[in-house]
Each structure stands twice: as structure tokens, then as C-alpha cells.
Amino acid sequence: MNETTKPEKVSIVLHSGDMDKLYSALIIANGALAMGMEASIFFTFWGLQRLRKDASWAMPAAGLDNGPLSKMHMLGLGKKMIEWRMKKANVRSLEQMMTDFVELGGKVMACDMTMEIMGIKQEDLREDLIGEYCGVGTFIQDARESTVSLFI
Amino acid sequence: MNETTKPEKVSIVLHSGDMDKLYSALIIANGALAMGMEASIFFTFWGLQRLRKDASWAMPAAGLDNGPLSKMHMLGLGKKMIEWRMKKANVRSLEQMMTDFVELGGKVMACDMTMEIMGIKQEDLREDLIGEYCGVGTFIQDARESTVSLFI
Amino acid sequence: MNETTKPEKVSIVLHSGDMDKLYSALIIANGALAMGMEASIFFTFWGLQRLRKDASWAMPAAGLDNGPLSKMHMLGLGKKMIEWRMKKANVRSLEQMMTDFVELGGKVMACDMTMEIMGIKQEDLREDLIGEYCGVGTFIQDARESTVSLFI
């Protein structure tokens, strides 16, 4: 394999279920896609929970309730304030960013081992977004072909 | 250095002491070894605590008590349920995965600075598993020779 | 791009605001600089908070109050003990490590989107340390030119 055939790709394992980490993952991945690179996200462990149909992405109101809220409050910022600032800064919602990711050609991989352990079925997940149900081997193959690999 | 001599390797810094992160690290590392790649894990900070002789890896019962338990419960799953599901999914225990890692040729590096700060001696650690006691420079050298580097 | 022109660089996204993670980031980055590599850290989300003028880095006393303290206590070590051990192990303070990083040629990038969302102005930040105020695209460009990329 030489450099000219090596795809410029960003490959991310999303292990965390924290909303702020999902945000970071999507901002990096969509940034890479916008720069003409490929991008893939392997949703595993707590990260996979974010692909459940019943997971709420309605940021910041609902999302901030599941974790980052306390940190935000530590900074002295209320929910309404964050919501207003994000709108003002043209930051897209998680739902929009997930849709952008898929539409821009990003690949969503759902970890099948996590599904088995946690008893999650394909119909419980956002099948409209998922490109592949697979194991860690698929992620590793992806990562070794990538320029940038991140564990989030 | 050209591509043909570059070893295909996965290099991981394990900073976290969370059981679920150790799981992820070993699943990725063992996956890489199974695919014919090399793999190394640099155990540092809280991660190094998991190499203590007195650290319990008896997943899920004991392990889940140190952190991930509350998250699991959030998902409405009890310990017994998780234990049963993992057995059913043929997921190996952490102890087994650590042993597999070493037997498959994976390299366990113990951070000597963490040992000094936390007052940990070699005899406090699982010397049977550790391949090298070293500093961050050894990890960096390892990472720059790797195809995939992850901070966990 | 061939291997001879590719800069040997370590590129880090610092998403976390935890003191122990900042420590790890700087130890790795300064280690890379000491080995003749380039290094850059993109401070974003909670990580950016650590660049505020009013953020305390006075490790371990003050720093340990913001998070890692409880973990340290879990290990049965008091603040004074940690402080003494770090001094004995010649571990530099975070303030010293940040200064070293910049003086050794490391690049500090401040995420402008985080600044906008959280209402942080340039004068609120340690302008003496920051090399560039920029977006995720700058980090991605940096990471694709790097040998090692880490999300911390």
C-alpha cells in the first residue's frame, strides 16, 4: 500500500454515551467530510445507546439532562443560555449533525457485540442511519486504512 | 522508513481505570492481534491500577461495582442479566482477555512515573503480565511506529 | 506526500477538562517535543476552560479539588502525600508544563466555536500561551499531517 492509494479517512470509535462527546465526534467527522476526506464512526458500548430510537438528541434541553448539564451549570450557564448561544453560533443540533454525516457519505457502524450483550435488536436502533452492523474487526480494518483514528 | 518496513501495529495508552474502558482496550488490541497486527498497551494513571495484584477483574460481578454498574443499571439491566448475556455472547472475562493479549504477543507496558508518584512497587503489580516498565518516551516511540494509536 | 516530507508530529484534541487528562496530554506532548517531534494541542469544550486566566493549575493542591481528588482519595493517598511524591519524582507542575510546551515549540490552539458558545473572549484566556484561535478544520488539517493523533 502506498500513500497515493491510501484513502484520507478519519475513523472514530465512539465508546462514550456522553452528549458532549457525541458532539465532538460529529463535529470532527463532519469537518473531515467537508474537507473531502472519508469518515466513519463505530458506535459501541455507551455510544451505541445514542443510536436507539428512544434516545433523545433534542439538544440542548433533553440532551443536557443526561450528563453534561452539571458541568454546564458549573460554568454558571443555564440551559436556556446555552440553547440561545448555540443557535446564535449556528451550531446544528445532534439530529441535524447525524443526518448531515450520513448524507455527506459518512459511515455509521453499530457494534454487534454490544447489541448482543445489551439485548438490543436492529429494530430498536435508528436503522435509517446505520450503514453496517459489525464487530471490532471491521473497525480495526477501517482504522488501519485511516489517516486519523480517535477513541472518543 | 517506507510502508513495507512499517510494522502494522495498534498502540494504546490506557489512562482510564474504568472497567468498560479496559474492556474496550482489550477487545481492540486482541482484535488487532487476531488480524496479524502487533499491539501494545501503555498502562498509566488510573489504568495502571488495573495491573495491581489486588485489583479485581472478576467481571462482571466485582468489576461492575467500580463504576460502570450505575450506567448498566440506568439501562435497566441487573448484574446477573449482564453476566448471563456476556456468557451467552461468548465474551471472555477481563482476566482471560489479559492472558490472551500476552499469549498472542501483545506488549504490556507499565508507566514508571505513575508507579513512583503513587508509590507502587513492581511486586505490587502483575509482573507475570508486564513486558516492560518504562516512561512516556517508550510509548511515543511505539506510537510513531504504529498504524493506529488510541488514548483510552 | 511521501514519508520523508511528512512531519513527525503528535496532534492532540483536549476535550476533557479533568486535571489528570491535561497532565497526560502535556506529558505526552512534551515527551514528543523532547524527542524532536512537533506537537500541537487543540483545546476544546471543557479542555478550553483550562486556558482561562481564572483557571487554577496550582497542582496538586487546587487542581485536585476539581475532580481527580476523589479518585486519589480512593487510593488512600492524601493531597499532601501526592504533592510530596510528585516533588520527589520531579514531576513539574501544570503551569510549568504548559510553559515548557510553548517554549519547546508546541502549538496551543483554542477552539473558537467553544469560545462563541460559552461566551469566552480572547482576553479571558491565557493569550500568552495561545498560538492560534481556530476551528475544527485547523485541527483536522493538523491531525492528517501527524504521525500520532489522540483524543483526550
Side-chain angles (χ1 to χ4, degrees), chain B residues 71-88:
Chain B
K71 282 189 184 170
M72 291 283 189
H73 276 183
M74 250 175 48
L75 301 171
L77 299 173
K79 266 194 224 179
K80 290 286 168 197
M81 181 59 110
I82 293 286
E83 194 165 20
W84 177 80
R85 281 191 198 283
M86 291 183 79
K87 212 166 262 174
K88 201 171 148 243

Side-chain angles (χ1 to χ4, degrees), chain B residues 6-65:
Chain B
K6 193 176 182 179
E8 287 270 334
K9 196 197 297 188
V10 172
S11 171
I12 294 173
V13 196
L14 186 69
H15 170 100
S16 170
D18 295 345
M19 284 293 182
D20 57 312
K21 297 273 184 71
L22 175 54
Y23 245 96
S24 256
L26 286 169
I27 288 169
I28 293 169
N30 287 354
L33 291 169
M35 289 164 76
M37 298 173 76
E38 296 178 22
S40 61
I41 306 180
F42 181 67
F43 288 77
T44 185
F45 277 77
W46 320 113
L48 186 66
Q49 309 304 319
R50 293 294 161 206
L51 288 183
R52 293 180 79 112
K53 277 180 186 149
D54 55 9
S56 174
W57 289 344
M59 274 288 280
L64 286 179
D65 284 335

Side-chain angles (χ1 to χ4, degrees), chain C residues 5 10 25 37 46 54 66 70 75 77 79-80 93 102 122 125-126 128 139 146:
Chain C
T5 59
V10 172
M37 298 174 76
W46 319 112
D54 55 8
N66 307 326
S70 55
L75 300 171
L77 299 173
K79 264 194 225 180
K80 290 287 170 197
S93 71
V102 172
Q122 291 198 8
L125 297 174
R126 289 286 303 266
D128 56 317
F139 159 70
S146 296

Side-chain angles (χ1 to χ4, degrees), chain C residues 19 22-23 26 57 59 92-98:
Chain C
M19 284 295 183
L22 176 55
Y23 246 95
L26 285 169
W57 289 344
M59 272 290 278
R92 294 170 77 78
S93 71
L94 282 175
E95 175 72 36
Q96 285 171 318
M97 284 201 284
M98 276 299 301

Side-chain angles (χ1 to χ4, degrees), chain A residues 26-50:
Chain A
L26 285 169
I27 288 169
I28 292 169
N30 287 353
L33 291 169
M35 289 164 76
M37 297 173 77
E38 293 178 24
S40 61
I41 306 179
F42 181 67
F43 288 77
T44 185
F45 277 78
W46 319 113
L48 186 66
Q49 309 305 318
R50 293 295 160 204

